[in-house]
């Protein structure tokens, strides 16, 4: 199964903000250190932008929510894994489309 980070960038590879996004996710997963969260947030904003932070926060929130649901259900669901795989493909496709639209409107995107 591919992850979003592996499919998000045209031509494959790792997302340019992979390290910063991962650092923020790990910091939020251990919320006892609020300073670490603040530092990771700042690093993501410095290298990325507000939208990268919003996307990351949304993903972290989604995973926190679905973890609660799965924990309460107490079982593994192959259907849930398939759904996540489809979601990753949809997100990847949306990002590719966004880049094509931006390029067609003469905006340079790295």
């Amino acid at each position: 199964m591919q992850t979003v980070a592996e499919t998000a960038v045209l031509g494959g590879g790792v997302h340019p903000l992979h390290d910063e996004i991962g650092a923020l996710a790990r910091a939020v997963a251990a919320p006892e250190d609020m300073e670490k969260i603040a530092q990771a947030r700042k690093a993501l904003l410095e290298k990325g932008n507000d939208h990268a932070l919003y996307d990351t926060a949304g993903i972290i929130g989604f995973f926190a929510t679905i973890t609660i649901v799965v924990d309460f259900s107490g079982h593994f669901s192959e259907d849930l894994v398939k759904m996540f795989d489809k979601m990753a493909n949809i997100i990847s496709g949306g990002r590719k489309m966004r880049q094509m639209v931006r390029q067609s409107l003469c905006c340079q995107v790295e």
Side-chain angles (χ1 to χ4, degrees), residues 96-109:
K96 289 176 184 177
M97 179 63 74
R98 178 178 62 193
Q99 184 171 5
M100 289 188 317
V101 169
R102 285 181 175 171
Q103 287 175 341
S104 71
L105 295 174
C106 78
C107 302
Q108 294 291 39
V109 178

Side-chain angles (χ1 to χ4, degrees), residues 2-3 11 23 47-48 68-69 72-73 89 94 102-104:
Q2 288 185 317
T3 64
K47 190 166 180 186
I68 292 168
V69 171
F72 272 104
S73 69
N89 290 328
R102 285 181 175 171
Q103 287 175 341
S104 71

